[in-house]
Amino acid sequence: MKTKITELFGIDHPIILSGMSWISTPELVAAVSNAGGLGILATGVTSAEETLEYIKRTRELTDKPFAGNVTLYFPGADRNAQILIEHRVPVINYSLGKGDKISKAVHEYGGKVVATVTTLKHALAAQRDGADALIVTGHEAAGHGGMVTSLALIPSIVDAVEIPVIAAGGFADGRGLMAALSLGAEGVSMGTRFMNSVESPVHDSQKKISSEKDVYDTVYTDRIDGLPARMMDTGGARKIMNRRLNPFTALFNSRKIAGLLGFPWLKLAVGIMFSGYKRSIQMARMAIGFEAFKVGTMNGDNKKGVLPLGQITGIIKDTPTVKEIIDRTIEQAGEVKKNLNSMG
Ligand SMILES: Cc1cc2nc3c(=O)[nH]c(=O)nc-3n(C[C@H](O)[C@H](O)[C@H](O)COP(=O)(O)O)c2cc1C
């Protein structure tokens, strides 16, 4: 299937693997790119050494285009962006920050830039800053989706920008792909669907549990990592949401973030001290959120940990290979198209 984004990235199918921390690893990224989609390598929680190692390993596993993601709000993101750029990763995907410098540097080596946004304001800013495409993430999404549902958000942004839009949040099969194309998007980015695949490194128990969950079984809150995000509704998530915090918790927890990201703790601690009360609380939540997402994702612990999960988990009932997911998405999209055509 050809669309503006298959042309832009040089891929076969308009299907993208979202950059999910701890999950979008070289093995999963390469599986998606080898099956004709575009895998996005997550560097949200990788140290400089790990980022470099991720790029090398991905290149060993695929000769197809792939992307690297940076969440600019996270400590260490500038450093990871620099590494991705130095190693000329074909597509750079950024979110939660200003991307003008990234766009300029990536275009200098002929790479492409995709900004992930959840609002029209940020979509217009990313276009102005030189992004080649947007991933527009609706309310249904796992992790940091917007306040507005995909059905309303995507066409509203498609109408307002000139660059191609990739729809994210609530897409998991061929029906979703055709719906996204009908809304004016040029493809889909899927997180929850690929998280539950054979090649995904998420703990096996989470694949099974999320397959049993329904569309109602998630919560959307800013009380886990300080930003509005969606995750599986569990005892662990509820416990963290109810926790009271103060700026000292931020300082205490910043050690964990710094350790996790290989980032100088003193620099982070000073940053927190001078960031004001509200931002300190947010940093405290980020520290707790990082740890909770890690434990939920890698250990399958739903008491201390939390698993980001989209509402579309309700239609996901199995754990296929990445190739099976992509092939059947394309096949089902073809059937949907035929059915629509036959309606006259
Ligand atoms: C387990 C999991 C972990 C995720 N981690 C991140 C992350 O670290 N950074 C990020 O920007 N988005 C993260 N996301 C969100 C995805 O990038 C994407 O926006 C979302 O999954 C798309 O919606 P969908 O889940 O309905 O497909 C994560 C999603 C899942 C399922």
Side-chain angles (χ1 to χ4, degrees), residues 148-171:
V148 178
T149 59
S150 294
L151 194 62
L153 183 68
I154 289 155
S156 78
I157 292 185
V158 164
D159 285 349
V161 298
E162 270 141 43
I163 52 180
V165 164
I166 297 154
F171 301 96

Side-chain angles (χ1 to χ4, degrees), residues 50-275:
E50 283 163 338
T51 303
L52 190 56
E53 176 57 31
Y54 264 29
I55 298 170
K56 284 190 187 149
R57 210 156 81 225
T58 307
R59 286 206 159 113
E60 280 162 21
L61 297 170
T62 185
D63 56 4
K64 301 274 174 45
F66 68 98
N69 148 282
V70 279
T71 307
L72 296 173
Y73 178 78
F74 289 175
D78 289 343
R79 175 202 63 195
N80 282 344
Q82 208 181 328
I83 296 169
L84 293 168
I85 289 166
E86 264 168 31
H87 289 82
R88 298 175 169 233
V89 168
V91 182
I92 304 294
N93 165 226
Y94 74 86
S95 61
L96 298 177
K98 191 160 165 50
D100 51 343
K101 290 195 188 114
I102 291 184
S103 297
K104 189 167 175 287
V106 174
H107 289 152
E108 269 168 21
Y109 65 80
K112 304 291 177 205
V113 177
V114 186
T116 297
V117 298
T118 60
T119 64
L120 176 59
K121 185 177 158 205
H122 290 159
L124 292 172
Q127 177 173 257
R128 220 171 26 242
D129 286 345
D132 300 291
L134 300 171
I135 295 178
V136 174
T137 312
H139 192 57
E140 301 90 328
H144 305 115
M147 297 298 286
V148 178
T149 59
S150 294
L151 194 62
L153 183 68
I154 289 155
S156 78
I157 292 185
V158 164
D159 285 349
V161 298
E162 270 141 43
I163 52 180
V165 164
I166 297 154
F171 301 96
D173 62 11
R175 296 171 298 179
L177 173 57
M178 288 307 288
L181 297 179
S182 303
L183 295 174
E186 300 287 335
V188 290
S189 180
M190 306 196 292
T192 299
R193 173 65 279 188
F194 283 124
M195 180 270 291
N196 194 347
S197 66
V198 170
E199 293 90 338
S200 161
V202 77
H203 197 276
D204 276 342
S205 64
Q206 298 293 41
K207 296 182 189 177
K208 184 166 181 296
I209 294 170
S210 66
S211 303
E212 290 158 4
K213 294 291 176 187
D214 215 327
V215 290
Y216 315 100
D217 297 331
T218 66
V219 281
Y220 183 75
T221 174
D222 64 357
R223 292 184 61 85
I224 301 280
D225 72 349
L227 296 172
R230 184 177 301 285
M231 52 226 77
M232 190 153 76
D233 190 358
T234 59
R238 295 275 167 183
K239 203 166 125 198
I240 297 172
M241 283 159 67
N242 292 331
R243 207 167 145 182
R244 287 183 171 276
L245 297 173
N246 60 52
F248 296 108
T249 329
L251 267 187
F252 181 73
N253 283 301
S254 62
R255 252 185 195 285
K256 277 188 194 157
I257 294 196
L260 195 69
L261 302 177
F263 195 79
W265 176 63
L266 203 59
K267 202 170 160 190
L268 192 60
V270 170
I272 290 172
M273 280 192 304
F274 288 100
S275 63

